[in-house]
Amino acid sequence: MKRPVIGPWIAIIIGVIYFLVPLIATFEFSLRMKRGVYSFEAYRVVFGDPNFQASFTYSAVIAIAAILFGILIVVPTAYIVQLKLPRLRPLVEFITLLPLVIPAIVLVFGYLRMYNSSSWIPLTNSVRGTDFLLTCAYVTLALPYMYRAVDTGLRAIDIRTLTEAAQSLGSSWPRILFQVILPNVRVAVLSGAFLTFAIVIGEFTMASLLNRPAFGPYLQLVGANRAYEPAALAIIAFIITWACMGLIQLFGGGRQNATRR
Amino acid sequence: MAETAAELARTRPRPVSLTWLGVVPFMLFALMFLIVPATLLMIGAFQDPQGNFTLQNIANLNQPTIIRAYQTSIAISAASAFGGALLGFGLAYAVALGHVPRWIRPTMMTFSGVASNFAGVPLAFAFMATLGRTGLVTALLTSIFGINIYRYGFNLLSFGGLTLTYLYFQIPLMILIMTPAIDGLKREWREASSILGASTWQYWRMIAFPILWPSLLGSFLLLFANAFGAIATAYALTGSSLNIITILLFAQIRGDVLHDPNLGYALALGMILITGLSNGAYIWLRSRSERWMR
């Protein structure tokens, strides 16, 4: 407090330069497609590319499927562990941390060994099967974030009282889960969902090794063959990530403030 | 013993099975998409193509290409984790305790949330547009200062370039982890130490640092594992020209090199061991540091 606050400012200025310059440079680069003038030509080309539309749609569909499947697996488990089986908590938390320990490329290598065409469960034999495998792969990638979001959300509400109230009114278990508990943790579930979307939408390794026409492999292909479109795509990807995080803040932030006051 | 068993049976007749049923989908999913695939790889590392036990795959890791790939991966991960930890800590400290305007902190935290997830292929594009041969910063440095960084040996498609690129998600991750830890330093500790006549240096050396070091070291390890398993950015940036372990494994899975799946399993086993150790140490250190963060 006695000392001047120059140090923190230096840190912040260096940080701002390091973080903003690549964004500015990328944006500037993306506008240079037409010789001599700035234009949004690269964006027009990208958005007009049928492969962009197809791969983005594909990845978005897989992402949404992964989010729904993830919710279906995580919410009941987190709920039961918190309410009935606290002894299982260390095990479940350990499992949800595993995707951070096992790199994605190793995991997909394991899938290729376990689900290849000559295995017991030849998921990679069919297109639908591989899509399902990719969806499960993305559920796995998002598991640490989804579980933590839902678990934190469940801790913030009184699930015991809610459950007992619902039970004494004669609710069945599925009804308690999906009509009582789920609506009460929807903020947490939504933030887990947006985070999943941000992680999964441009994912490259798994989609590429499973040979699916996803957005990540498309990005890589454009990057290897084009000059200005990659910059435009980087800006688009940054905006998508920003939108996902912004939505989390929008939902989560409002709620946090409400409970604190 | 018998009494407790009887008691258990009486207090939880039917719901028990129902309760356990509820975690079955999760456990089944974890088995099918996490535990069994990883275990199969680890078993495969100790098998020959016919399925007999062997240590040959592990011995085959001892090739110059593979050793160098592990070394480069470890070096890049360590360098980007160290740089990320240092700069991230500086920024976390600045926003938490630096007496800067209030709006900076939420802005920085939101941005960190975005940037720590802005990885993969698009990040490579951004750095190519910035520091690639025709990138904006490269061009500006040449035209304004007359310094062509590529003539001075800089190359984005190299160790230094990749480390610099990785910092873009490492620093924000560090900010996200460390800011709460720095918030955990109680104002009273600082006041107490200055009442007792401690200097700022003494406060940091004898109070703040001993409390923070598990978080610091733990975050370093998390950042290390984060960079070690990454591939998309490096692949999009350098193609397969940079010999790091993830790119080598990627090529191996694609069937471009080596032509020996069991050697691939051994490569994967090595990766799991390295990320497992650093993540395990992180989790252990975090539980240590949480004692002070209540």
Side-chain angles (χ1 to χ4, degrees):
Chain A
M1 266 158 257
K2 293 167 283 178
R3 292 197 313 174
V5 290
I6 190 100
W9 279 110
I10 292 174
I12 287 172
I13 288 167
I14 292 175
V16 167
I17 291 173
Y18 178 74
F19 285 115
L20 287 189
V21 164
L23 292 178
I24 296 166
T26 310
F27 184 61
E28 197 265 354
F29 199 81
S30 73
L31 301 179
R32 277 201 274 176
M33 196 169 184
K34 272 188 181 160
R35 198 163 287 241
V37 286
Y38 282 143
S39 70
F40 284 96
E41 181 68 8
Y43 294 86
R44 200 189 56 74
V45 172
V46 163
F47 284 124
D49 182 357
N51 288 330
F52 168 84
Q53 297 160 3
S55 64
F56 189 84
T57 313
Y58 176 82
S59 278
V61 169
I62 296 282
I64 290 166
I67 288 166
L68 294 178
F69 194 29
I71 292 172
L72 215 58
I73 285 179
V74 164
V75 173
T77 309
Y79 167 75
I80 291 170
V81 167
Q82 220 169 85
L83 191 66
K84 299 266 177 187
L85 301 168
R87 272 178 308 150
L88 274 186
R89 176 182 288 279
L91 175 69
V92 170
E93 281 188 352
F94 174 74
I95 290 173
T96 59
L97 286 174
L98 275 182
L100 299 178
V101 177
I102 309 169
I105 184 165
V106 173
L107 214 50
V108 74
F109 196 19
Y111 295 167
L112 288 171
R113 177 164 200 207
M114 189 171 171
Y115 301 109
N116 65 36
S117 44
S118 55
S119 65
W120 287 354
I121 317 168
L123 281 179
T124 54
N125 255 357
S126 65
V127 169
R128 284 283 155 264
T130 317
D131 286 345
F132 175 71
L133 190 56
L134 187 60
T135 308
C136 291
Y138 286 169
V139 173
T140 312
L141 275 194
L143 194 60
Y145 310 100
M146 190 58 121
Y147 190 87
R148 275 186 63 172
V150 171
D151 195 45
T152 315
L154 284 172
R155 272 178 216 226
I157 59 170
D158 188 351
I159 52 169
R160 191 163 298 274
T161 309
L162 278 176
T163 307
E164 280 165 7
Q167 269 178 323
S168 59
L169 292 171
S171 264
S172 62
W173 279 109
R175 190 157 176 178
I176 294 177
L177 256 179
F178 292 101
Q179 293 195 340
V180 179
I181 300 298
L182 195 59
N184 275 292
V185 290
R186 65 177 180 278
V187 174
V189 170
L190 274 176
S191 63
F194 288 123
L195 198 55
T196 306
F197 193 86
I199 293 168
V200 157
I201 190 71
E203 200 280 334
F204 167 74
T205 321
M206 291 176 147
S208 167
L209 288 173
L210 289 175
N211 266 326
R212 298 309 296 136
F215 192 47
Y218 166 79
L219 289 174
Q220 197 273 327
L221 198 70
V222 173
N225 297 305
R226 299 305 197 99
Y228 299 99
E229 288 91 335
L233 284 165
I235 295 294
I236 294 167
F238 190 81
I239 290 170
I240 295 171
T241 315
W242 189 278
C244 289
M245 296 301 134
L247 286 168
I248 292 175
Q249 291 259 310
L250 197 70
F251 289 111
R255 164 126 184 164
Q256 253 175 13
N257 289 342
T259 43
R260 266 193 204 147
R261 268 161 213 163
Chain B
M1 228 16 220
E3 201 187 38
T4 29
E7 214 171 53
L8 277 177
R10 187 152 28 83
T11 45
R12 312 190 279 182
R14 229 162 45 86
V16 175
S17 55
L18 220 70
T19 314
W20 284 96
L21 219 59
V23 287
V24 164
F26 175 83
M27 293 298 174
L28 209 62
F29 181 88
L31 276 177
M32 284 185 65
F33 295 102
L34 268 168
I35 294 160
V36 177
T39 314
L40 278 179
L41 285 188
M42 292 194 256
I43 294 171
F46 296 100
Q47 283 177 334
D48 61 15
Q50 282 72 45
N52 304 311
F53 174 82
T54 176
L55 289 173
Q56 194 55 45
N57 302 314
I58 311 293
N60 285 346
L61 288 180
N62 192 12
Q63 299 173 19
T65 324
I66 296 179
I67 301 279
R68 227 177 306 124
Y70 272 115
Q71 281 170 346
T72 315
S73 270
I74 290 174
I76 290 177
S77 310
S80 73
F82 185 75
L86 207 67
L87 295 168
F89 179 79
L91 282 166
Y93 176 80
V95 296
L97 301 170
H99 305 288
V100 292
R102 269 170 155 256
W103 59 268
I104 288 186
R105 180 177 169 142
T107 315
M108 185 75 88
M109 295 308 272
T110 309
F111 183 84
S112 296
V114 177
S116 64
N117 285 300
F118 182 66
V121 183
L123 180 63
F125 294 166
F127 271 79
M128 268 190 270
T130 311
L131 285 166
R133 280 181 193 278
T134 53
L136 182 70
V137 171
T138 315
L140 283 181
L141 285 174
T142 312
S143 62
I144 298 175
F145 301 105
I147 304 170
N148 184 345
I149 49 172
Y150 277 82
R151 205 165 289 159
Y152 286 93
F154 176 82
N155 187 356
L156 188 60
L157 318 181
S158 69
F159 174 86
L162 197 59
T163 305
L164 195 66
T165 310
Y166 277 9
L167 282 179
Y168 205 85
F169 58 80
Q170 297 282 51
I171 296 173
L173 189 58
M174 185 70 182
I175 296 175
L176 290 178
I177 308 170
M178 277 315 288
T179 309
I182 294 175
D183 281 339
L185 292 175
K186 295 203 174 66
R187 183 189 287 265
E188 293 87 332
W189 298 340
R190 173 137 217 178
E191 285 167 357
S193 74
S194 68
I195 288 168
L196 293 170
S199 65
T200 306
W201 165 243
Q202 281 171 321
Y203 164 74
W204 273 99
R205 190 170 64 86
M206 297 166 127
I207 299 167
F209 185 72
I211 290 169
L212 285 180
W213 84 263
S215 320
L216 278 169
L217 187 61
S219 318
F220 169 81
L221 290 165
L222 185 76
L223 264 54
F224 176 88
N226 192 33
F228 191 81
I231 168 167
T233 309
Y235 189 77
L237 208 53
T238 69
S240 44
S241 66
L242 192 70
N243 182 28
I244 60 172
I245 196 68
T246 39
I247 287 184
L248 191 68
L249 185 59
F250 188 83
Q252 156 69 24
I253 300 173
R254 274 280 176 79
D256 299 343
V257 287
L258 302 175
H259 301 297
D260 180 0
N262 291 89
L263 182 58
Y265 302 148
L267 279 178
L269 176 70
M271 288 186 66
I272 295 178
L273 280 182
I274 292 172
T275 54
L277 279 178
S278 62
N279 270 302
Y282 162 68
I283 292 165
W284 180 70
L285 285 165
R286 196 185 61 179
S287 66
R288 268 187 66 113
S289 65
E290 269 169 5
R291 286 186 307 191
W292 294 99
M293 299 307 162
R294 306 242 154 97

